[in-house]
Amino acid sequence: MTTTTLNHKKVIVTGASSGIGLEVVKLLLQQNCTIVAAAKEIGGLTPDDIQLFAYVGDLSTQEGIDQLFDFALDVMGDVDIFVANAGFAYYELLGSPDWQHISNIFNINTFGAIYSAQKMKQLLGDRPYTVMCTASGMGILPLPGYALYSATKAAIRGFAQAYRYELSSGQHFKVIYPISTRTDFFKNAGNSPMPWPSQTAAAVASALVRGLGSGKRDIYPSLTFRLMNTLNRIFPFVLRLYANHENAKLQQWVQQKQREEKLK
């Protein structure tokens, strides 16, 4: 699939109200795609119900995703590309066992993406289609404070590597691995400190859309991350040094939170 073949494709983008998802929608509109933009609430978009449709729902549940596909088929008639971008992170020291806390993040970051990929296969059969899933560099190089988040993204990586063997010719399950992206992501994760390095949502979205139109299965928007990953394979202590630095930031963040709690 080349970039030109994105023209007039019918696309679902989740997590489309802000950040990477919103930038992806903007770029796909320039490619003359018809888009269903899905999120818990549509803030930064102006649907015209011609080229851009909005779906508001809970994408952490089977019912929410089933309803999203029903809506997309009703307004577009078909789906060529699914961009599974919805997700969030916890930044924390894991405390007491909490099944619901674990389920909440896996439901949307992992289960929702996998279930949507299966929905695409069910819908398209042996016809060509593409699923693009937003993972994270932490799915490869996990960081302190993000144990659950890193696990949800590592699970996507493992699923992709095995599931691709089950797809027919012309069907793709692609994964993009952004580094820290300068959005509200870290604010929503408890005002956590942003790991170094970072990049803009527009840069990640541009890499994602280029990835849709390329033959690549895994997309790495940051050259710095690719170099770090390669360096870590040769000198594993590099990641440990980096993780120790991030762990010190985590401990400082925890102490600050404890001081703030005492002042309340």
Side-chain angles (χ1 to χ4, degrees):
M1 181 185 288
T2 65
T3 302
T4 55
T5 63
L6 292 178
N7 281 330
H8 302 295
K9 292 294 185 185
K10 298 172 180 177
V11 187
I12 295 175
V13 180
T14 69
S17 61
S18 62
I20 296 170
L22 178 58
E23 296 300 323
V24 167
V25 169
K26 292 176 182 175
L27 292 175
L28 291 178
L29 287 174
Q30 295 173 14
Q31 296 281 340
N32 299 314
C33 293
T34 303
I35 301 167
V36 169
K40 286 194 297 185
E41 51 186 46
I42 298 297
L45 295 171
T46 306
D48 59 9
D49 291 340
I50 298 173
Q51 190 183 5
L52 178 61
F53 301 86
Y55 171 85
V56 178
D58 184 357
L59 302 176
S60 68
T61 66
Q62 176 183 343
E63 292 76 17
I65 294 174
D66 286 343
Q67 291 169 7
L68 167 60
F69 272 87
D70 289 343
F71 176 79
L73 290 175
D74 183 48
V75 299
M76 298 195 298
D78 206 351
V79 183
D80 301 303
I81 298 171
F82 190 99
V83 180
N85 176 67
F88 72 95
Y90 297 130
Y91 186 65
E92 60 188 354
L93 292 177
L94 284 174
S96 301
D98 186 335
W99 188 277
Q100 190 60 53
H101 186 69
I102 299 168
S103 297
N104 288 343
I105 192 168
F106 270 89
N107 281 343
I108 192 161
N109 286 15
T110 308
F111 299 158
I114 292 173
Y115 183 74
S116 298
Q118 290 184 285
K119 290 281 291 187
M120 286 292 286
K121 180 67 175 175
Q122 181 184 53
L123 175 66
L124 277 299
D126 289 327
R127 288 190 286 149
Y129 67 86
T130 297
V131 173
M132 172 70 82
C133 186
T134 303
S136 167
M138 291 189 214
I140 300 173
L141 303 179
L143 292 178
Y146 295 98
L148 286 178
Y149 177 72
S150 299
T152 65
K153 299 305 185 181
I156 290 294
R157 185 184 185 210
F159 174 79
Q161 291 176 348
Y163 184 62
R164 286 165 179 157
Y165 290 99
E166 302 183 25
L167 298 178
S168 303
S169 176
Q171 298 180 346
H172 307 281
F173 188 96
K174 300 178 177 231
V175 183
I176 186 167
Y177 296 92
I179 58 172
S180 302
T181 307
R182 297 192 284 276
T183 65
D184 287 339
F185 180 88
F186 294 97
K187 178 183 177 182
N188 295 334
N191 282 321
S192 61
M194 183 179 294
W196 179 89
S198 66
Q199 58 189 159
T200 66
V204 177
S206 179
L208 189 153
V209 172
R210 288 198 307 273
L212 286 174
S214 76
K216 293 181 179 179
R217 299 186 300 180
D218 296 304
I219 294 95
Y220 302 93
S222 168
L223 176 61
T224 303
F225 177 79
R226 291 170 60 188
L227 293 174
M228 289 173 62
N229 195 23
T230 301
L231 196 62
N232 182 62
R233 292 173 186 167
I234 302 170
F235 306 107
F237 65 88
V238 172
L239 176 60
R240 288 198 294 273
L241 291 173
Y242 176 61
N244 286 338
H245 172 69
E246 291 298 328
N247 189 43
K249 291 165 62 176
L250 170 63
Q251 299 304 325
Q252 292 174 2
W253 177 84
V254 170
Q255 291 171 8
Q256 177 64 33
K257 287 289 183 182
Q258 291 172 343
R259 287 194 292 270
E260 292 173 358
E261 286 296 320
K262 288 180 180 178
L263 293 175
K264 288 182 179 177

